[in-house]
Amino acid sequence: MTMAYILALNPNLLTNFGADGGTTLWNGVFLSTCIASAIGMFAMAFLANKPFGLAPGMGLNSFFAVVVANIVSITGMSYLESFQSALGIILIEGIIFLVLSILNIRDKIVQAIPLGVRLGITPAIGLMLMNLGLGSNVGVYSSDGGPYYVMRDFFGSLTAGLAMDTIGDGYSTMVLSVVTMFVGLFVIIILSQKGFKSAVILGMFCACIIYWVGEAVFLGISPFADLSTASFVPAFSDMAATTLFHVNFSGLVQVGWFTMITLIITYCIIDMFDTIGTLVGTASKAGMLDENGNMPQMKEAMTADSIGTIAGALTGTSTVTTFVESASGVEAGGRTGLTALTTGILFLASMFIAPIAAIIPAAATSSALIYVGILMMSGMKNIQFDEIDQVVPVSLMVISIPISGSIGHGIGIGMISYTVIKLFTGKAKEVSALTYVISAIFLIKFFLPV
């Protein structure tokens, strides 16, 4: 339920909300999202036996849409042809990661991340989840525009009257969203304190009921109206015509070799550290790290991630990566690959029940995101606050990850700060050669214009 939003949002983003490529491409990307995510999760279940969900990564899909638009302007190809060309970048990246994972190189990169930085990943992701729950996960539109967000536009207003004037006729929907979100959150908290292992699901279910009743009673909207005209038949013919095995390498070459290589490297860096951060952070919350802060079966987990990305490229979507929302499944009791397997099956089922998934209100999923984020913030207790080489990287990561929206970029900032502190405080020998290399790569990534 916490990942269900990606089913509609991913094809919306990749097709410019249906404007580019029409309904046919939208249907292809939607089915690809379901299928590639399921393949990635099946691989996670059977190779790594870990409870992590995978789907096209947020941020990476937005970047993909920008790349497609740039290919259109550079080559003059249609949006569909440019889209198919950009899939070549994803396929190459996925193959590179698969090789690096099999050779254990990605695992060595994880081990090169300083312990303090690794410990800071969990609370940083927690704050990111809270930021999502209170921010972009729930956007309200009105005749005055939008989106308007809970924390910025509702609680950020000086008075309720000013919030009403700002949001306009969407104010009632905003109030309903806020009430739904916090009732769901406190139901989860109370049930979890009473020992209910299904607290997260039950809280989200209560939130759904509140929102649906509120829509019907106060807004005069039938929450189930869309189901009467919805189609439950997957449009496989659209997928076959637009995205399935339609990787356009000849179009990619038209972009230029330098630009193509730069894009592949950029995707590799972002994807690698987003995945590493999510795996380490979620595994820490689940108690899956050993005494050295390493996760067993990291190689297999990253291999599954790579398989998902390759499946995404071949079926028609951007990079598939491990989702931070996996933390909600862990909190609900997931500890093995059965969790990933179940989620994968439900993603496949969503091809046939997408209209049902679409009526789950975003405010209900925010309840779970905020709750899990609060729990992950407890990882701060593991930080040695009297050691400056831990405090500075962690502090920068905790603020940069939720603001930038990129776990990988936050880790990069943490790595650079750790290396600089060690280097200029006479402790350069304590930094591994690979840490220096990773820090240098991020410096190039951040500051070299291409």
Side-chain angles (χ1 to χ4, degrees):
M1 291 176 73
T2 56
M3 290 177 66
Y5 70 88
I6 197 65
L7 293 171
L9 185 55
N10 192 55
N12 282 346
L13 284 172
L14 298 191
T15 62
N16 193 18
F17 290 83
D20 294 310
T23 305
T24 303
L25 179 58
W26 195 100
N27 288 336
V29 177
F30 169 77
L31 290 174
S32 172
T33 302
C34 297
I35 294 170
S37 301
I39 291 173
M41 284 184 271
F42 293 159
M44 183 67 72
F46 293 110
L47 293 179
N49 193 26
K50 298 297 182 187
F52 304 134
L54 293 88
M58 288 300 298
L60 289 165
N61 53 8
S62 299
F63 182 44
F64 182 91
V66 172
V67 169
V68 174
N70 288 337
I71 293 176
V72 171
S73 62
I74 292 172
T75 65
M77 293 188 297
S78 68
Y79 189 92
L80 178 58
E81 291 172 322
S82 300
F83 182 95
Q84 294 167 345
S85 300
L87 290 177
I89 297 173
I90 307 303
L91 180 59
I92 294 170
E93 176 224 336
I95 293 172
I96 291 173
F97 273 172
L98 181 61
V99 173
L100 293 178
S101 299
I102 292 174
L103 296 178
N104 266 348
I105 296 176
R106 287 177 83 179
D107 198 17
K108 287 180 170 54
I109 292 174
V110 175
Q111 294 172 12
I113 298 176
L115 179 60
V117 176
R118 271 183 277 170
L119 292 174
I121 292 173
T122 302
I125 291 177
L127 196 60
M128 181 181 183
L129 289 176
M130 293 173 65
N131 187 49
L132 287 171
L134 292 165
S136 59
N137 191 54
V138 181
V140 174
Y141 292 85
S142 72
S143 58
D144 297 329
Y148 299 103
Y149 296 128
V150 171
M151 192 55 65
R152 184 191 69 190
D153 301 299
F154 184 80
F155 290 109
S157 297
L158 292 176
T159 65
L162 184 58
M164 183 181 297
D165 292 339
T166 300
I167 301 173
D169 57 14
Y171 182 75
S172 297
T173 303
M174 175 63 80
V175 171
L176 177 59
S177 297
V178 172
V179 171
T180 298
M181 180 187 302
F182 281 98
V183 170
L185 173 62
F186 286 110
V187 168
I188 293 173
I189 292 172
I190 292 168
L191 291 178
S192 65
Q193 289 299 303
K194 291 183 175 294
F196 284 80
K197 289 189 175 182
S198 55
V200 174
I201 297 298
L202 291 175
M204 291 177 66
F205 182 66
C206 289
C208 286
I209 293 176
I210 290 171
Y211 193 88
W212 291 334
V213 171
E215 275 191 316
V217 175
F218 299 106
L219 303 182
I221 299 172
S222 172
F224 310 115
D226 290 342
L227 294 180
S228 61
T229 58
S231 173
F232 291 85
V233 180
F236 288 114
S237 59
D238 289 349
M239 181 184 184
T242 56
T243 64
L244 184 63
F245 302 123
H246 282 284
V247 180
N248 183 8
F249 286 110
S250 61
L252 183 58
V253 172
Q254 294 182 44
V255 176
W257 287 100
F258 179 76
T259 302
M260 180 178 68
I261 293 172
T262 301
L263 288 171
I264 292 171
I265 293 174
T266 300
Y267 257 101
C268 284
I269 294 172
I270 298 174
D271 185 21
M272 179 180 296
F273 285 93
D274 270 11
T275 300
I276 289 172
T278 305
L279 287 174
V280 173
T282 309
S284 174
K285 178 59 190 170
M288 295 178 180
L289 302 184
D290 59 24
E291 64 277 5
N292 297 317
N294 297 318
M295 187 186 82
Q297 285 84 48
M298 178 66 81
K299 170 185 173 181
E300 290 79 3
M302 290 189 171
T303 299
D305 190 273
S306 305
I307 291 172
T309 295
I310 293 173
L314 293 176
T315 56
T317 187
S318 56
T319 305
V320 173
T321 187
T322 307
F323 257 46
V324 293
E325 285 83 358
S326 300
S328 60
V330 169
E331 181 55 33
R335 290 296 182 274
T336 69
L338 181 60
T339 301
L341 177 64
T342 303
T343 311
I345 292 173
L346 291 175
F347 260 68
L348 285 181
S350 294
M351 293 190 297
F352 303 91
I353 59 171
I356 296 177
I359 66 172
I360 299 172
T365 62
S366 282
S367 300
L369 293 176
I370 296 168
Y371 174 68
V372 174
I374 292 171
L375 294 181
M376 295 185 77
M377 286 296 294
S378 64
M380 292 293 288
K381 69 178 183 293
N382 299 318
I383 308 301
Q384 299 296 320
F385 284 96
D386 56 345
E387 296 183 13
I388 195 68
D389 58 347
Q390 283 198 25
V391 173
V392 172
V394 169
S395 298
L396 291 174
M397 286 169 56
V398 165
I399 195 66
S400 62
I401 286 179
I403 290 178
S404 70
S406 172
I407 297 171
H409 287 174
I411 293 175
I413 293 172
M415 293 283 285
I416 292 170
S417 62
Y418 171 86
T419 303
V420 169
I421 291 171
K422 288 289 191 181
L423 185 61
F424 291 98
T425 56
K427 300 178 181 178
K429 293 183 179 179
E430 296 180 10
V431 182
S432 69
L434 191 51
T435 299
Y436 280 118
V437 171
I438 294 172
S439 299
I441 289 174
F442 271 109
L443 281 171
I444 295 172
K445 161 72 174 66
F446 289 143
F447 295 106
L448 182 65
V450 293

